[in-house]
């Protein structure tokens, strides 16, 4: 079964616990459960991980070179990390960028993402549902690639 890495960055372990007015009451563990169910329905496995550390995220992105794709919410590192951009560029697998909040309705410093330039697609502002949509997008990209190979 193809495995998708679902990677989540700094402070997102606080979901559902702090600042519910911005990020809602859904916990990261709830999101993992929803991803697992959606992935199973799509015939995908997932490797779901969260870290507060940039280097750890880079190591996991490098490890994901053997995966079917990456769903990434890099948190605040989205707006700062050239190291993550470089790792994603080298990964050679489809990347879908996810943000729970609509980063374009927030402070100007959140409007630029280093991840977007190497992502196949970007989903933001749809809360936890964005992760499920990202898995659907990966499944579709994999099916399109397989279809292309057949021809
Ligand atoms: O909207 C998103 O998913 C973000 O990636 C979340 C990041 C933020 O820096 C990005 O601009 C947009 C922040 C995650 C912090 O998560 C918290 C959750 C609960 C309480 C405090 C922080």
């Amino acid at each position: 079964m193809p495995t998708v890495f679902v990677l989540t960055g700094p402070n997102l372990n606080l979901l559902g616990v702090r600042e519910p007015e911005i990020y809602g009451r859904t916990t990261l563990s709830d999101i993992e459960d929803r991803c697992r169910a959606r992935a199973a329905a799509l015939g995908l496995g997932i490797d779901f991980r969260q870290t507060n550390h940039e280097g750890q995220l880079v190591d996991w992105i490098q490890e994901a070179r053997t995966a079917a794709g990456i769903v990434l919410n890099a948190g605040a590192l989205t707006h700062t990390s050239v190291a993550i951009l470089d790792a994603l560029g080298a990964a050679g697998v489809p990347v879908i960028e996810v943000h729970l909040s609509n980063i374009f309705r927030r402070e100007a410093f959140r409007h630029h993402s280093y991840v977007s330039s190497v992502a196949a697609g970007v989903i933001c502002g749809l809360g936890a549902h964005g992760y499920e949509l990202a898995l659907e997008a990966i499944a579709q990209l994999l099916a399109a690639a397989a279809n292309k190979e057949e021809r």
Side-chain angles (χ1 to χ4, degrees):
M1 190 187 270
T3 298
V4 176
F5 275 34
V6 182
L7 304 179
T8 291
N11 294 310
L12 285 150
N13 54 316
L14 299 176
L15 273 181
V17 181
R18 303 270 167 80
E19 299 187 73
E21 63 286 357
I22 302 178
Y23 297 109
R25 297 207 176 272
T26 305
T27 65
L28 197 57
S29 167
D30 295 333
I31 293 177
E32 178 172 358
D33 290 347
R34 285 171 64 166
C35 282
R36 224 164 265 295
R38 175 65 67 173
L42 292 165
L44 297 171
I46 58 164
D47 199 329
F48 192 100
R49 305 179 188 181
Q50 187 274 332
T51 180
N52 289 328
H53 305 283
E54 182 176 17
Q56 180 66 84
L57 213 42
V58 169
D59 285 345
W60 287 345
I61 291 166
Q62 288 187 9
E63 194 185 327
R65 277 181 298 185
T66 57
I70 302 172
V71 172
L72 176 64
N73 182 352
L77 294 171
T78 302
H79 318 297
T80 62
S81 180
V82 177
I84 287 173
L85 164 67
D86 289 344
L88 290 169
V93 296
V95 177
I96 304 292
E97 176 181 358
V98 172
H99 299 285
L100 298 162
S101 62
N102 180 350
I103 54 176
F104 300 102
R105 288 183 69 171
R106 301 184 64 191
E107 305 94 321
F109 67 83
R110 296 186 203 274
H111 298 179
H112 175 262
S113 161
Y114 282 100
V115 175
S116 298
S117 62
V118 287
V122 183
I123 298 166
C124 77
L126 300 178
H129 187 51
Y131 279 81
E132 293 178 68
L133 293 172
L135 287 168
E136 278 179 30
I138 297 257
Q140 202 154 48
L141 289 170
L142 292 175
N147 200 23
K148 210 172 174 186
E149 251 172 44
E150 261 173 34
R151 281 190 275 130

